[in-house]
Amino acid sequence: MQINKSDRNDAAGIARIMQCGWYKEVRVKDLDSHAIKALLVSRALLVKIKRDLENQIRGLLKNLGLVIGRAKMNVFAVRAAELVEARPELAAAVEPLLKAREAVERQIADLDRKVMQMARNDTQVRRFMTAPGVGPITALCFLATIDDPTRFKRSRSVGAYVGLTTRRYASGEIDWTGRISKCGDAMLRSYLYEAANVLLTRVTRWSTLKAWGIRLAKRSGLRKAKVAVARKLAVILHRMWIEGAEFKWSSKEVTA
């Protein structure tokens, strides 16, 4: 922020900041957390590459009026091979992509086995997985991102740390609340959002958290409810970590 920027002036400015204490400490994560995060980043990249390959194959086939449709697991490769079977000129372009997709899929499966093994060997991750919608990937990502739960004085601060709280601008007579800040770790934020989606749309067991999310969805829409439930999940997971407890399910009779 100095008018004349140079290495000498920058060094003097940093020295003044250190002298006056105008800085915040940055948490340095341990090597285990970095290793877990590296594994999850590699898996996420491979999943993206697989999705891009599938979209490319769909686009090539759709140009000729061939539609794969909804396909899960190995159905995608079988369906694509059937569509190009009678078109050798199209098969020459699609088959290399299918082989690349198959190789990437094998690597993803190998990483998934490693993720499951790490989840089984960690007691805290197993506790996280007792929360509805939270699987091994989300639990490991939360563990590696937060690293040390004691660095947050309040559990609700985790929601802001992940970027799931709304922006706010207040000046004079102006006071408005915007969208979520999207600060912090984008991977953890996306996994918490997916966990909230599973909780609201797939989990059948009743809980106070799901009931709150359903009420919010009826009032403000499903998308906003997923974001709010994701923030709640982050707070709950941190509190479970501090207390060393599993997710506390509740019954309708108790809450009535």
Side-chain angles (χ1 to χ4, degrees), residues 7-206:
D7 292 343
R8 181 184 294 273
N9 290 342
D10 289 345
I14 293 174
R16 293 192 190 98
I17 291 174
M18 296 295 295
Q19 184 180 20
C20 299
W22 295 340
Y23 62 91
K24 293 183 179 179
E25 295 182 0
V26 177
R27 167 70 185 180
V28 179
K29 299 178 182 178
D30 57 28
L31 295 179
D32 291 338
S33 296
H34 281 296
I36 295 173
K37 196 61 179 294
L39 182 67
L40 296 177
V41 169
S42 298
R43 181 190 177 277
L45 177 60
L46 290 176
V47 171
K48 180 181 182 300
I49 293 174
K50 177 187 173 184
R51 184 174 60 248
D52 292 342
L53 288 171
E54 292 177 351
N55 290 336
Q56 183 66 30
I57 294 171
R58 288 179 184 274
L60 292 174
L61 296 178
K62 192 174 182 180
N63 288 334
L64 298 178
L66 305 175
V67 180
I68 294 180
R70 297 186 63 182
K72 297 181 179 180
M73 304 299 289
N74 297 327
V75 179
F76 181 89
V78 174
R79 177 61 176 162
E82 290 176 352
L83 293 175
V84 302
E85 185 176 3
R87 298 173 179 267
E89 69 285 352
L90 186 59
V94 173
E95 287 180 356
L97 297 178
L98 288 175
K99 292 180 180 179
R101 176 186 176 276
E102 183 181 359
V104 172
E105 195 172 33
R106 287 197 300 268
Q107 296 300 321
I108 294 175
D110 184 53
L111 287 178
D112 285 341
R113 287 190 292 270
K114 294 179 180 178
V115 167
M116 292 298 298
Q117 183 66 31
M118 294 175 67
R120 283 194 292 265
N121 294 336
D122 195 293
T123 304
Q124 186 56 52
V125 172
R126 294 199 302 270
R127 290 196 189 103
F128 287 153
M129 292 171 61
T130 61
V134 177
I137 295 176
T138 304
L140 280 171
C141 189
F142 189 86
L143 181 78
T145 303
I146 302 302
D147 187 56
D148 181 12
T150 59
R151 63 192 179 108
F152 296 98
K153 295 181 179 180
R154 298 182 303 174
S155 295
R156 66 176 62 183
S157 300
V158 180
Y161 177 77
V162 182
L164 289 170
T165 54
T166 56
R167 297 174 180 268
R168 185 179 181 185
Y169 179 84
S171 178
E173 298 180 355
I174 301 176
D175 188 357
W176 59 268
T177 301
R179 297 178 181 273
I180 60 173
S181 65
K182 293 186 178 180
C183 298
D185 191 85
M187 177 181 289
L188 178 57
R189 186 166 57 252
S190 64
Y191 285 154
L192 288 172
Y193 183 84
E194 291 178 9
N197 177 58
V198 172
L199 170 61
L200 292 176
T201 60
R202 298 182 186 178
V203 175
T204 57
R205 185 175 179 181
W206 191 92

